[in-house]
Amino acid sequence: MEKRKLIIDCDPGVDDAVMLAFAAAHREKFEILAVTTVSGNQDIEKVTRNALDLTAFYGLSVPVAQGMGTPLVKEPCYAPETHGESGLGSLRLPPSQQKVTEEPAVLFMYRILKALPEGEKLTIAATGPLTNIAVLLKLFPEIKGKIREILFMGGSLCGGNVTAAAEFNFYVDPEAAGIVLHSGIPLVMCGLDVTEKCTLTRNQILKLCQSGYPAARACGDMMGFSLENTPDKYRGETSVHDVVPLMYLIYPEIFSGKTQILDVECGGGSARGAVLGGFRWWRNEEADANVYVLTEADKEKFQEYLITALYALGAAE
Ligand code: RIB
Ligand code: CA
């Protein structure tokens, strides 16, 4: 895999925090040009504070830009039961001295994209509601040509984890999700169909909590909070949803999926945030199918690669 220019848009958030650790452990694979934050798991101030502290803690030297504090239309809805009041479970990190960028995330992303040399494109990995990305595409539609692909954790074709129909990121901002789905940009959807097969078990988390390496221990601590404070405690394992987009970029061979034409329900009813889609070769054009939906994953390989990365990050300190 050649080194990818990457912007990470996230709402840390426990699994976003583990995703950032995974990114830091694979910095030879990514040129991370920015981490941008969006209101989602917690309010924009908390997720931005967390992004600053996490990147410093992992030794990631990268600009952090604060993004949209509310979804496009509705009010925010946070997830303290899964991520805690701080957004990082019960973990306390040393406060970073770094400040957020002067420019808000959307303008900061736009400037990075505009500055790319002729013919170069970058990849966006989005692991929160798609509000920032939607605003970027609406304000600067011509910038689509500088985006190689967008890999997003969001949506579900197998029912929701917030309502019966909707996955959290799509539930929080379905209008933004619709703008991205209809953008024509090549998309990889890492929805619940695949992320609920990408878990760590209670024993694997307990072992991380006993690690001598601060980053591995911190990630174990945060995932332990999510595991024991949600119905995942009955399952004995918890999905590390937000690692999947980056895991797919590095190890595509452990995943499989299908190309789809998707839409998202933006009404106010019980289906708000639901993803609708499919592909009928006799009715649809291949060219219109711009979303590669991941549906299967090799769970053991996912666990092996994630755990190895978390320990490797500690050893690098
Ligand atoms: O549904 C899971 C997604 O919602 C993850 O991105 C998690 O961090 C929350 O944002
Ligand atoms: Ca997230």
Side-chain angles (χ1 to χ4, degrees):
M1 166 191 171
E2 89 282 8
K3 193 161 190 169
R4 285 260 188 146
K5 289 187 187 305
L6 184 67
I7 289 176
I8 296 175
D9 187 72
C10 56
D11 61 332
V14 168
D15 53 335
D16 305 76
V18 180
M19 174 273 296
L20 288 171
F22 186 76
H26 287 289
R27 64 193 82 190
E28 78 289 351
K29 298 266 195 303
F30 304 119
E31 182 183 352
I32 304 173
L33 300 176
V35 169
T36 55
T37 62
V38 63
S39 168
N41 288 321
Q42 267 298 348
D43 65 46
I44 192 62
E45 289 76 21
K46 289 180 180 177
V47 299
T48 304
R49 176 76 263 152
N50 293 339
L52 287 164
D53 294 346
L54 287 161
T55 50
F57 181 61
Y58 296 144
L60 261 184
S61 176
V62 62
V64 174
Q66 180 168 317
M68 298 294 287
T70 64
L72 294 184
V73 175
K74 299 279 189 182
E75 288 305 305
C77 72
Y78 308 128
E81 71 290 340
T82 306
H83 302 275
E85 281 310 313
S86 75
L88 299 182
S90 51
L91 181 69
R92 295 290 173 268
L93 289 175
S96 166
Q97 299 311 306
Q98 183 180 333
K99 300 284 180 260
V100 289
T101 59
E102 288 285 305
E103 287 173 312
V106 171
L107 295 184
F108 195 72
M109 282 196 270
Y110 176 65
R111 192 155 60 76
I112 289 172
L113 287 159
K114 280 284 280 182
L116 288 173
E118 184 62 33
E120 271 199 42
K121 297 189 178 189
L122 69 74
T123 298
I124 295 176
T127 62
L130 292 168
T131 317
N132 289 337
I133 316 293
V135 172
L136 172 74
L137 298 179
K138 279 295 182 188
L139 278 177
F140 310 107
E142 79 286 355
I143 209 67
K144 289 180 189 177
K146 303 295 272 184
I147 301 172
R148 174 172 174 171
E149 64 181 334
I150 300 173
L151 301 98
F152 62 87
M153 192 282 132
S156 171
L157 290 166
C158 62
N161 59 355
V162 177
T163 66
E167 175 279 328
F168 178 82
N169 290 331
F170 271 43
Y171 179 74
V172 168
D173 202 338
E175 287 80 8
I179 289 167
V180 173
L181 288 178
H182 299 136
S183 65
I185 296 169
L187 304 175
V188 177
M189 173 174 147
C190 309
L192 297 182
D193 315 85
V194 68
T195 66
E196 288 187 340
K197 297 161 186 163
C198 296
T199 65
L200 289 187
T201 66
R202 177 176 279 116
N203 285 344
Q204 289 168 331
I205 290 169
L206 283 172
K207 197 161 184 310
L208 285 167
C209 290
Q210 293 156 7
S211 167
Y213 293 138
R217 191 164 64 246
C219 288
D221 185 289
M222 290 185 282
M223 288 185 283
F225 180 96
S226 289
L227 172 68
E228 302 305 346
N229 286 282
T230 64
D232 279 351
K233 63 189 169 197
Y234 304 118
R235 203 179 161 205
E237 57 186 320
T238 193
S239 295
V240 201
H241 303 278
D242 290 342
V243 169
V244 175
L246 297 189
M247 183 77 75
Y248 173 73
L249 279 177
I250 300 175
Y251 304 105
E253 70 279 3
I254 72 167
F255 298 96
S256 61
K258 51 191 177 183
T259 300
Q260 304 263 8
I261 297 173
L262 297 183
D263 205 345
V264 57
E265 173 57 49
C266 293
S270 59
R272 180 170 173 77
V275 176
L276 318 162
F279 185 78
R280 292 168 174 75
W281 59 267
W282 62 94
R283 177 184 295 275
N284 305 127
E285 296 299 327
E286 286 275 348
D288 295 337
N290 69 316
V291 191
Y292 184 59
V293 179
L294 298 186
T295 54
E296 299 300 330
D298 180 330
K299 180 187 288 191
E300 286 68 35
K301 281 292 182 194
F302 174 86
Q303 293 172 340
E304 175 194 337
Y305 293 151
L306 174 53
I307 290 168
T308 301
L310 296 181
Y311 283 121
L313 181 56
E317 280 164 355

